[in-house]
Amino acid sequence: MSTRVKFLMAVPRMQVEELVNLVDEDRLVNDLGTMVATPSVNPFDGPVTEECREQEFANLYRDMMNDQGLDTFSRAVVEGRPNVFGRLSGTSRGPCIMLAGHLDTVGTEGYVDPFNPVVKNGRLHGRGSCDMKAALAAYIEVARIIHNEKIRLKGDLLLAGVVDEEHLMIGSREISRNGPIPDFAIVGEPTELKICHAHKGQLCMHIKTFGKASHSSVPENGINAISHMADVVKALDRYSEELKSRRPHPVCGHGRVNPGVIKGGTISSSVPDYCELEVDRRVNTDETREVVVGEYRQFLDRIARSNPEFRYEIGAPTLDNAALDTDVNSEIVVRIKDAYRSTLHKPADVGAYVAATDAPNFLCPAVICGPGSIRQAHTLEEYVEIAELTAAAKIYLRTVLDLLLQ
Ligand SMILES: [Zn+2]
């Protein structure tokens, strides 16, 4: 290797170390505290309450991005619920990396003082602290250091704050439709910094059975839709066993099925003529909606063949979130693994995430890695370890510099 080549390689590496050392824990804690103190509860299907301030939080996040010199813009997904973006443009043709996170949080019923960010025993407490405002604060720190140090990137660094991850993911779906579509995405959902390159999707549908009402004193005159649903539930149990016998996805395992909500009948003295069961199916990438519906039809048609009175329908999906299956050898996974090792001096845990996320909707190789734990997310005592928050900012910064430094 020539001296000149050595010199060219050595300078950026030195620069990366110096830049990573600029990550400032107090600043991160301060930013995260400001974020937690601005409620952004997802209204789900209920009324919009005083806590449902996604617009206000989006404005705050946009202002924070503006302060770091990013070119910002926003788009209302529905009224009062905007996605917000900030871009640091590269100077040449490098890849575009998106650091993405959702702006919304789950609700706070029963939570004591959820929007008062308390720092105690190395943790920052409050609703949204780990799921996932910690990652948003880390993204701001990454942008701040790159901006303050006047670092020239060859490709674009894009920050995205999206609405409604906790419910129907309308925010990230809007990005699927209207862009921007980056080359890589990092999604800082709480993984305890595990690097997750895959997760299952979620497909929820209603199976409905139809009968004939009659007085319960003469049930032989009716057809009991609940009894028919009992056959469906037993068939689902067998289907669940059969899923276990299939070849598993290397990190996500086999698909799962869960009958979750059942409704039927109005009064016990009537034979019910209708019953519906909401079924949650956790799917791998090859288990598309068409495949799953086809499998449901197979066992439902089998019941119908053995019982001519059995009538059923499958409703449209109530939830249809895609699976993520980024190649473990893809550049973004390799780079963030290296960044983890350089930051924490041990190899990263790499594998699958437990829940569905926005990541597949960004339509690019994406990886999920963030501070905080799914064990604290959605609980009444949410917190993030501050050391993990700081490590996350360093890992993101290293990954961005590794991919985008000139
Ligand atoms: Zn989340």
Side-chain angles (χ1 to χ4, degrees), residues 17 23 73 79 135 169-170 193 217 247 277 280 310 338 355 361 366 388 394:
E17 286 311 307
V23 167
F73 60 103
E79 201 191 337
M169 301 192 186
I170 60 172
L193 302 180
S217 61
R247 194 159 64 89
L277 177 69
D280 177 307
F310 180 84
D338 287 349
N361 295 335
E388 239 173 56
K394 291 182 176 181

Side-chain angles (χ1 to χ4, degrees), residues 102 131-132 165-166 189-190:
H102 59 84
D131 189 10
M132 59 172 282
E165 190 275 345
E166 298 289 1
E189 292 277 5

Side-chain angles (χ1 to χ4, degrees), residues 1-20 151-152 398 401-402 405-406:
M1 191 184 279
S2 75
T3 316
R4 179 171 161 71
V5 172
K6 267 188 208 161
F7 176 74
L8 282 174
M9 288 179 70
V11 171
R13 210 172 295 146
M14 273 295 292
Q15 202 179 353
V16 168
E17 286 311 307
E18 283 166 15
L19 292 169
V20 168
I151 304 300
R152 287 154 62 90
R398 265 186 216 280
L401 293 174
D402 198 15
L405 206 54
Q406 294 276 12

